[in-house]
Amino acid sequence: LRRLTQVRWSRYNPSFLEPEVNKELYQKRPEELSEKEKETLEFKAVRPIKAAPPTLSSSVFSDPMISKFTNMMMKHGNKVLARSLMAQTLEAIKRKQLEKYHKAPEDEKETIECNPYVIFHQALKNCQPIIGLSSVTKGGKTYQVPVPLKDNRKRFLAMKWLITECRENKNRRTMMPEKLSQELLQAFNNEGPIIKKKHVLHKMAEANRAYAHFRWW
Amino acid sequence: TLRLIYTTVTVQRKNVGASGPEKYTETFIKKQIEEFNLGKRHLANMMGEDPETFTQEDIDKAIAYLFPSGLFDKRARPMMKHPTEIFPEQRKIQWGEDGRPFHFLFYTGKQAYYSVMHETYEKLLNVQKYQDQLTAQDLPPQKEKRNLAGSRWLTKIELEEMLLEKLSDDDYSRFVQLLQKLMTLPCGDIEEKYIQKFTKEVPVQLQKVVIEPLKYDERGVAFSTGEGIRKTARATATVYDNGTGKVTVNGIDILHYFPVLQDREQLLFPFQFLDRVGKHDMVCTVSGGGRSAQAGAIRLASAKALRSFVTEKEVEFMRQAGLLTLDPRVKERKKPGQEGARRKFTWKKR
């Protein structure tokens, strides 16, 4: 037994690996596998693997990004409500896009994207900041130092901004799915308050460029 | 004038803890081994068995029969084992009568560890010299791919037992890095034997589990059962062949029992993964736990039942998708002095 248990410890032994749910990887025949994949398969054959979480499934309808977003939207563990809100948002996006599609002239019909999942992913991508600011204390003063962000952090910030924006700046009468779909469509077209927030952050980082050498990591 | 200085007995006594754990001499261990062998023969005689073919298991059974004990801790019960298992291995005295140590690295403090590091590095240099010789003779370097997945390095504890010295994490990681460097070079059989001293075989995970064969019921339909556990929920599932995809839980259809989409998705996950969505019927019973825990338990039970219908490769794929592992996560206990498992009471300055 370890004397010092880390604060974030898991019930699994550290030798357990993450499960891979994608069916296509397993249906490939041995000739099509590349060297690396063969090595990983051999390696996995010897190691134990963690159980798949209840939100993950091999069906076409489960998307890890969408489930992460639903978990962030959830309040007090009410997953049912969060999931229904997410479904209503995607429905609302689809409806709006279909309206636009039917009203548009022939040549523009191809450019209009109707798939709500594609819109969701593209909108999140557009909202992700590239650099962030981190406070570094040097000589008694705290400076805001521009710092490159990790992928996880970028995704988290994009989703967090989206949710806080929808919760605070909406009218008392509008429902969450409506407001969310509005924000997502705006982000998809690179407009809207969240994109503005991202640009503000970038400008601040550019302004504090002089302190970039304070970063030691 | 002389003054008597009074001292207490405790000051005059030697410091008991400073000498370390009890040291056993070689003669002592030899005597213990002789006594053990004699005792083994006596025990065999007592039990009426042949003293020549009396194994350790027989000794354990005999001792458990002659000295029954109700103690919970197995290590506290009477045992009779070979002295090498009872007395831990100790290093012999490292210096001679004149006080001069035998090993040249004695004054480093970790002589065994540094000597092993030096040996490994020597092998590395040998391999590089061999490689240079091959390139000088214009022969291609030998590239043999050893099966990396079948073996693992010794753990820190095992290495400590081997070297009879305490190691730090840093030392251990350095040693493993050196060995890995040696292994990645195209060396081949030259250093194979040396590296094997520090590796252990790891059996393939799948071989540990026995897959039950299919059973046939009165109508001639093949079926198989499985059990699953998640948090506090316990589930048993029977999967029938030649079905329409109907699933019954505790006598109720899944649409009524699990109104939430996420749970139904979890139930269908094993079938969808194997592309057998409409081909099997399922009847399950579940008790305990909450909504999501019951769904997870039934998922595990159905995955275990499906193993009998499917080839070994697909069973391995199911295991790698995480369908066949028991989820060990349970509710963490509340600790005293805190409000919940992790949440502390509100901190008040005064």
Side-chain angles (χ1 to χ4, degrees), chain A residues 7-9 11-12 16 19-21 23 26-27 30 35 41-62 79-80 83, chain B residues 145 147-150 202-206 230 260-262 265-266 269 272-273 275 291-292 299 313 316-317 319-323 325-330 332 342:
Chain A
V7 177
R8 267 191 244 146
W9 54 275
R11 292 277 306 183
Y12 290 108
F16 275 66
E20 178 62 60
V21 182
K23 254 202 292 187
Y26 296 120
Q27 279 166 355
E35 285 264 343
L41 258 183
E42 268 188 42
F43 183 63
K44 278 198 164 184
V46 210
R47 297 284 217 116
I49 301 199
K50 298 186 193 177
T55 40
L56 195 63
S57 159
S58 69
S59 77
V60 215
F61 302 109
S62 75
K79 181 77 135 246
V80 180
R83 202 156 159 151
Chain B
K145 280 208 170 164
N147 193 8
L148 298 162
V202 180
V204 178
Q205 280 284 319
L206 194 58
R230 174 87 216 269
V260 182
L261 176 65
Q262 183 186 301
E265 216 179 8
Q266 285 296 289
F269 183 5
Q272 205 268 340
F273 185 77
D275 290 324
R291 171 205 104 207
S292 183
R299 184 187 92 182
K313 263 195 177 178
E316 178 60 27
F317 291 152
R319 187 190 76 89
Q320 287 192 8
L323 280 167
T325 11
L326 190 80
D327 207 329
R329 302 180 289 180
V330 282
E332 206 176 308
R342 297 283 170 115

Side-chain angles (χ1 to χ4, degrees), chain B residues 171-313:
Chain B
D171 293 334
Y172 173 69
S173 56
R174 278 195 163 230
F175 181 60
V176 170
Q177 274 171 18
L178 235 193
L179 280 174
Q180 273 168 351
K181 191 171 172 185
L182 184 59
M183 209 166 74
T184 44
L185 292 173
C187 56
D189 291 314
I190 322 167
E191 312 306 338
E192 192 72 50
K193 284 181 198 164
Y194 183 73
I195 295 180
Q196 265 170 19
K197 273 196 243 168
F198 301 106
T199 51
K200 251 200 181 176
E201 284 278 320
V202 180
V204 178
Q205 280 284 319
L206 194 58
Q207 288 161 3
K208 294 182 190 172
V209 178
V210 181
I211 305 173
E212 283 177 12
L214 282 175
K215 288 172 253 183
Y216 291 89
D217 74 348
E218 306 116 8
R219 288 175 294 159
V221 178
F223 74 96
S224 87
T225 44
E227 282 173 0
I229 296 180
R230 174 87 216 269
K231 281 196 198 174
T232 331
R234 307 274 180 267
T236 48
T238 32
V239 177
Y240 294 93
D241 211 352
N242 298 342
T244 46
K246 215 167 61 159
V247 180
T248 319
V249 184
N250 284 357
I252 309 171
D253 193 40
I254 52 163
L255 271 177
H256 296 284
Y257 197 82
F258 289 120
V260 182
L261 176 65
Q262 183 186 301
D263 304 333
R264 277 174 276 151
E265 216 179 8
Q266 285 296 289
L267 290 198
L268 287 172
F269 183 5
F271 298 100
Q272 205 268 340
F273 185 77
L274 299 165
D275 290 324
R276 288 163 179 246
V277 180
K279 297 178 193 167
H280 293 283
D281 258 345
M282 189 157 78
V283 176
C284 19
T285 47
V286 67
S287 64
R291 171 205 104 207
S292 183
Q294 284 187 343
I298 301 178
R299 184 187 92 182
L300 183 60
S302 57
K304 282 192 179 170
L306 277 173
R307 277 183 308 191
S308 341
F309 286 95
V310 156
T311 54
E312 267 194 32
K313 263 195 177 178

Side-chain angles (χ1 to χ4, degrees), chain B residues 69 71-79:
Chain B
S69 146
L71 296 173
F72 288 133
D73 196 349
K74 306 283 176 187
R75 290 174 292 180
R77 295 185 180 183
M79 66 164 124

